[in-house]
PDB file of all heavy atoms in Angstrom:
ATOM      1  N   GLU O  51      -7.938  14.091 -20.605  1.00 87.00           N
ATOM      2  CA  GLU O  51      -8.500  14.286 -21.952  1.00 87.00           C
ATOM      3  C   GLU O  51      -8.860  15.745 -22.177  1.00 87.00           C
ATOM      4  O   GLU O  51      -9.415  16.385 -21.293  1.00 87.00           O
ATOM      5  CB  GLU O  51      -9.773  13.450 -22.110  1.00 87.00           C
ATOM      6  CG  GLU O  51      -9.504  11.972 -22.192  1.00 87.00           C
ATOM      7  CD  GLU O  51     -10.598  11.170 -21.540  1.00 87.00           C
ATOM      8  OE1 GLU O  51     -10.741  11.276 -20.312  1.00 87.00           O
ATOM      9  OE2 GLU O  51     -11.307  10.461 -22.263  1.00 87.00           O
ATOM     10  N   ARG O  52      -8.565  16.208 -23.371  1.00 84.00           N
ATOM     11  CA  ARG O  52      -8.923  17.587 -23.711  1.00 84.00           C
ATOM     12  C   ARG O  52      -9.494  17.640 -25.114  1.00 84.00           C
ATOM     13  O   ARG O  52      -9.368  16.699 -25.883  1.00 84.00           O
ATOM     14  CB  ARG O  52      -7.680  18.470 -23.679  1.00 84.00           C
ATOM     15  CG  ARG O  52      -6.981  18.514 -22.344  1.00 84.00           C
ATOM     16  CD  ARG O  52      -6.126  19.716 -22.354  1.00 84.00           C
ATOM     17  NE  ARG O  52      -5.156  19.736 -21.283  1.00 84.00           N
ATOM     18  CZ  ARG O  52      -4.353  20.772 -21.113  1.00 84.00           C
ATOM     19  NH1 ARG O  52      -4.391  21.791 -21.945  1.00 84.00           N
ATOM     20  NH2 ARG O  52      -3.501  20.781 -20.133  1.00 84.00           N
ATOM     21  N   GLY O  53     -10.084  18.744 -25.458  1.00 80.00           N
ATOM     22  CA  GLY O  53     -10.585  18.914 -26.813  1.00 80.00           C
ATOM     23  C   GLY O  53     -10.761  20.412 -27.040  1.00 80.00           C
ATOM     24  O   GLY O  53     -10.748  21.181 -26.062  1.00 80.00           O
ATOM     25  N   HIS O  54     -10.923  20.823 -28.291  1.00 77.00           N
ATOM     26  CA  HIS O  54     -11.133  22.255 -28.535  1.00 77.00           C
ATOM     27  C   HIS O  54     -12.545  22.617 -28.146  1.00 77.00           C
ATOM     28  O   HIS O  54     -13.509  22.083 -28.668  1.00 77.00           O
ATOM     29  CB  HIS O  54     -10.858  22.600 -29.996  1.00 77.00           C
ATOM     30  CG  HIS O  54      -9.398  22.635 -30.262  1.00 77.00           C
ATOM     31  ND1 HIS O  54      -8.614  23.699 -29.905  1.00 77.00           N
ATOM     32  CD2 HIS O  54      -8.585  21.709 -30.802  1.00 77.00           C
ATOM     33  CE1 HIS O  54      -7.365  23.433 -30.220  1.00 77.00           C
ATOM     34  NE2 HIS O  54      -7.312  22.232 -30.770  1.00 77.00           N
ATOM     35  N   ARG O  55     -12.681  23.472 -27.182  1.00 75.00           N
ATOM     36  CA  ARG O  55     -13.998  23.844 -26.663  1.00 75.00           C
ATOM     37  C   ARG O  55     -14.125  25.357 -26.795  1.00 75.00           C
ATOM     38  O   ARG O  55     -13.982  26.085 -25.819  1.00 75.00           O
ATOM     39  CB  ARG O  55     -14.138  23.444 -25.188  1.00 75.00           C
ATOM     40  CG  ARG O  55     -13.723  22.017 -24.873  1.00 75.00           C
ATOM     41  CD  ARG O  55     -14.746  20.996 -25.336  1.00 75.00           C
ATOM     42  NE  ARG O  55     -14.325  19.651 -24.963  1.00 75.00           N
ATOM     43  CZ  ARG O  55     -14.541  18.575 -25.690  1.00 75.00           C
ATOM     44  NH1 ARG O  55     -15.138  18.665 -26.863  1.00 75.00           N
ATOM     45  NH2 ARG O  55     -14.151  17.394 -25.273  1.00 75.00           N
ATOM     46  N   ASP O  56     -14.343  25.802 -28.020  1.00 70.00           N
ATOM     47  CA  ASP O  56     -14.253  27.238 -28.290  1.00 70.00           C
ATOM     48  C   ASP O  56     -15.219  28.080 -27.481  1.00 70.00           C
ATOM     49  O   ASP O  56     -14.913  29.197 -27.102  1.00 70.00           O
ATOM     50  CB  ASP O  56     -14.448  27.490 -29.783  1.00 70.00           C
ATOM     51  CG  ASP O  56     -13.246  26.968 -30.556  1.00 70.00           C
ATOM     52  OD1 ASP O  56     -12.184  26.860 -29.913  1.00 70.00           O
ATOM     53  OD2 ASP O  56     -13.379  26.664 -31.746  1.00 70.00           O
ATOM     54  N   MET O  57     -16.419  27.522 -27.225  1.00 75.00           N
ATOM     55  CA  MET O  57     -17.402  28.313 -26.486  1.00 75.00           C
ATOM     56  C   MET O  57     -17.099  28.344 -24.989  1.00 75.00           C
ATOM     57  O   MET O  57     -17.706  29.091 -24.243  1.00 75.00           O
ATOM     58  CB  MET O  57     -18.808  27.716 -26.682  1.00 75.00           C
ATOM     59  CG  MET O  57     -19.415  28.000 -28.029  1.00 75.00           C
ATOM     60  SD  MET O  57     -19.766  29.746 -28.205  1.00 75.00           S
ATOM     61  CE  MET O  57     -21.156  29.904 -27.104  1.00 75.00           C
ATOM     62  N   ALA O  58     -16.194  27.474 -24.556  1.00 74.00           N
ATOM     63  CA  ALA O  58     -15.954  27.366 -23.122  1.00 74.00           C
ATOM     64  C   ALA O  58     -15.317  28.649 -22.600  1.00 74.00           C
ATOM     65  O   ALA O  58     -14.410  29.200 -23.222  1.00 74.00           O
ATOM     66  CB  ALA O  58     -15.049  26.183 -22.847  1.00 74.00           C
ATOM     67  N   PRO O  59     -15.777  29.138 -21.476  1.00 74.00           N
ATOM     68  CA  PRO O  59     -15.274  30.419 -20.996  1.00 74.00           C
ATOM     69  C   PRO O  59     -13.858  30.358 -20.442  1.00 74.00           C
ATOM     70  O   PRO O  59     -13.183  31.365 -20.375  1.00 74.00           O
ATOM     71  CB  PRO O  59     -16.269  30.800 -19.899  1.00 74.00           C
ATOM     72  CG  PRO O  59     -16.924  29.539 -19.497  1.00 74.00           C
ATOM     73  CD  PRO O  59     -16.873  28.627 -20.657  1.00 74.00           C
ATOM     74  N   CYS O  60     -13.393  29.196 -20.067  1.00 69.00           N
ATOM     75  CA  CYS O  60     -12.067  29.189 -19.458  1.00 69.00           C
ATOM     76  C   CYS O  60     -11.010  28.739 -20.443  1.00 69.00           C
ATOM     77  O   CYS O  60     -10.851  27.556 -20.724  1.00 69.00           O
ATOM     78  CB  CYS O  60     -12.029  28.297 -18.234  1.00 69.00           C
ATOM     79  SG  CYS O  60     -10.401  28.316 -17.498  1.00 69.00           S
ATOM     80  N   ILE O  61     -10.316  29.664 -20.983  1.00 68.00           N
ATOM     81  CA  ILE O  61      -9.189  29.326 -21.843  1.00 68.00           C
ATOM     82  C   ILE O  61      -7.961  29.746 -21.081  1.00 68.00           C
ATOM     83  O   ILE O  61      -7.694  30.916 -20.900  1.00 68.00           O
ATOM     84  CB  ILE O  61      -9.311  30.053 -23.191  1.00 68.00           C
ATOM     85  CG1 ILE O  61     -10.574  29.552 -23.898  1.00 68.00           C
ATOM     86  CG2 ILE O  61      -8.085  29.809 -24.036  1.00 68.00           C
ATOM     87  CD1 ILE O  61     -10.979  30.403 -25.058  1.00 68.00           C
ATOM     88  N   PHE O  62      -7.286  28.764 -20.563  1.00 76.00           N
ATOM     89  CA  PHE O  62      -6.181  29.075 -19.684  1.00 76.00           C
ATOM     90  C   PHE O  62      -4.926  29.327 -20.507  1.00 76.00           C
ATOM     91  O   PHE O  62      -4.527  28.497 -21.324  1.00 76.00           O
ATOM     92  CB  PHE O  62      -5.979  27.907 -18.710  1.00 76.00           C
ATOM     93  CG  PHE O  62      -4.760  28.052 -17.874  1.00 76.00           C
ATOM     94  CD1 PHE O  62      -4.721  29.004 -16.861  1.00 76.00           C
ATOM     95  CD2 PHE O  62      -3.652  27.268 -18.102  1.00 76.00           C
ATOM     96  CE1 PHE O  62      -3.593  29.153 -16.087  1.00 76.00           C
ATOM     97  CE2 PHE O  62      -2.522  27.410 -17.340  1.00 76.00           C
ATOM     98  CZ  PHE O  62      -2.489  28.352 -16.330  1.00 76.00           C
ATOM     99  N   ASP O  63      -4.362  30.494 -20.290  1.00 76.00           N
ATOM    100  CA  ASP O  63      -3.114  30.817 -20.942  1.00 76.00           C
ATOM    101  C   ASP O  63      -3.195  30.640 -22.461  1.00 76.00           C
ATOM    102  O   ASP O  63      -2.283  30.101 -23.091  1.00 76.00           O
ATOM    103  CB  ASP O  63      -2.016  29.901 -20.359  1.00 76.00           C
ATOM    104  CG  ASP O  63      -0.704  30.659 -20.221  1.00 76.00           C
ATOM    105  OD1 ASP O  63      -0.733  31.894 -20.374  1.00 76.00           O
ATOM    106  OD2 ASP O  63       0.317  30.012 -19.960  1.00 76.00           O
ATOM    107  N   GLY O  64      -4.339  31.023 -23.026  1.00 79.00           N
ATOM    108  CA  GLY O  64      -4.497  30.945 -24.471  1.00 79.00           C
ATOM    109  C   GLY O  64      -4.727  29.542 -24.994  1.00 79.00           C
ATOM    110  O   GLY O  64      -4.775  29.316 -26.197  1.00 79.00           O
ATOM    111  N   ASP O  65      -4.860  28.571 -24.118  1.00 84.00           N
ATOM    112  CA  ASP O  65      -5.015  27.186 -24.548  1.00 84.00           C
ATOM    113  C   ASP O  65      -6.501  26.851 -24.657  1.00 84.00           C
ATOM    114  O   ASP O  65      -7.183  26.702 -23.652  1.00 84.00           O
ATOM    115  CB  ASP O  65      -4.329  26.277 -23.517  1.00 84.00           C
ATOM    116  CG  ASP O  65      -4.437  24.810 -23.887  1.00 84.00           C
ATOM    117  OD1 ASP O  65      -5.164  24.491 -24.853  1.00 84.00           O
ATOM    118  OD2 ASP O  65      -3.799  24.005 -23.205  1.00 84.00           O
ATOM    119  N   THR O  66      -7.000  26.724 -25.891  1.00 82.00           N
ATOM    120  CA  THR O  66      -8.439  26.494 -26.078  1.00 82.00           C
ATOM    121  C   THR O  66      -8.851  25.083 -25.688  1.00 82.00           C
ATOM    122  O   THR O  66     -10.022  24.752 -25.689  1.00 82.00           O
ATOM    123  CB  THR O  66      -8.856  26.729 -27.544  1.00 82.00           C
ATOM    124  OG1 THR O  66      -8.016  25.924 -28.355  1.00 82.00           O
ATOM    125  CG2 THR O  66      -8.787  28.172 -27.931  1.00 82.00           C
ATOM    126  N   THR O  67      -7.881  24.227 -25.365  1.00 85.00           N
ATOM    127  CA  THR O  67      -8.261  22.871 -24.939  1.00 85.00           C
ATOM    128  C   THR O  67      -8.396  22.789 -23.422  1.00 85.00           C
ATOM    129  O   THR O  67      -8.780  21.758 -22.896  1.00 85.00           O
ATOM    130  CB  THR O  67      -7.220  21.821 -25.394  1.00 85.00           C
ATOM    131  OG1 THR O  67      -6.003  22.041 -24.680  1.00 85.00           O
ATOM    132  CG2 THR O  67      -6.999  21.868 -26.879  1.00 85.00           C
ATOM    133  N   PHE O  68      -8.065  23.852 -22.752  1.00 87.00           N
ATOM    134  CA  PHE O  68      -8.145  23.814 -21.292  1.00 87.00           C
ATOM    135  C   PHE O  68      -9.448  24.456 -20.830  1.00 87.00           C
ATOM    136  O   PHE O  68      -9.545  25.652 -20.638  1.00 87.00           O
ATOM    137  CB  PHE O  68      -6.947  24.524 -20.656  1.00 87.00           C
ATOM    138  CG  PHE O  68      -6.892  24.295 -19.172  1.00 87.00           C
ATOM    139  CD1 PHE O  68      -6.195  23.200 -18.666  1.00 87.00           C
ATOM    140  CD2 PHE O  68      -7.560  25.113 -18.283  1.00 87.00           C
ATOM    141  CE1 PHE O  68      -6.165  22.961 -17.303  1.00 87.00           C
ATOM    142  CE2 PHE O  68      -7.535  24.871 -16.929  1.00 87.00           C
ATOM    143  CZ  PHE O  68      -6.835  23.796 -16.437  1.00 87.00           C
ATOM    144  N   SER O  69     -10.456  23.622 -20.688  1.00 86.00           N
ATOM    145  CA  SER O  69     -11.751  24.131 -20.262  1.00 86.00           C
ATOM    146  C   SER O  69     -12.156  23.425 -18.990  1.00 86.00           C
ATOM    147  O   SER O  69     -12.331  22.205 -18.978  1.00 86.00           O
ATOM    148  CB  SER O  69     -12.775  23.871 -21.364  1.00 86.00           C
ATOM    149  OG  SER O  69     -14.048  23.756 -20.794  1.00 86.00           O
ATOM    150  N   LEU O  70     -12.298  24.169 -17.913  1.00 88.00           N
ATOM    151  CA  LEU O  70     -12.670  23.543 -16.638  1.00 88.00           C
ATOM    152  C   LEU O  70     -14.034  22.880 -16.722  1.00 88.00           C
ATOM    153  O   LEU O  70     -14.340  21.965 -15.980  1.00 88.00           O
ATOM    154  CB  LEU O  70     -12.666  24.578 -15.516  1.00 88.00           C
ATOM    155  CG  LEU O  70     -11.288  24.974 -15.002  1.00 88.00           C
ATOM    156  CD1 LEU O  70     -11.417  26.059 -13.943  1.00 88.00           C
ATOM    157  CD2 LEU O  70     -10.549  23.780 -14.430  1.00 88.00           C
ATOM    158  N   GLU O  71     -14.838  23.361 -17.639  1.00 86.00           N
ATOM    159  CA  GLU O  71     -16.155  22.769 -17.813  1.00 86.00           C
ATOM    160  C   GLU O  71     -16.060  21.315 -18.282  1.00 86.00           C
ATOM    161  O   GLU O  71     -16.976  20.534 -18.099  1.00 86.00           O
ATOM    162  CB  GLU O  71     -16.942  23.598 -18.833  1.00 86.00           C
ATOM    163  CG  GLU O  71     -18.369  23.164 -18.990  1.00 86.00           C
ATOM    164  CD  GLU O  71     -19.094  23.929 -20.085  1.00 86.00           C
ATOM    165  OE1 GLU O  71     -18.545  24.938 -20.566  1.00 86.00           O
ATOM    166  OE2 GLU O  71     -20.193  23.520 -20.444  1.00 86.00           O
TER     167      GLU O  71
END
Side-chain angles (χ1 to χ4, degrees):
E51 289 146 294
R52 300 199 194 183
H54 284 282
R55 311 285 182 215
D56 290 337
M57 285 293 288
C60 181
I61 297 166
F62 173 72
D63 217 11
D65 180 352
T66 54
T67 68
F68 190 90
S69 153
L70 283 177
E71 186 185 348

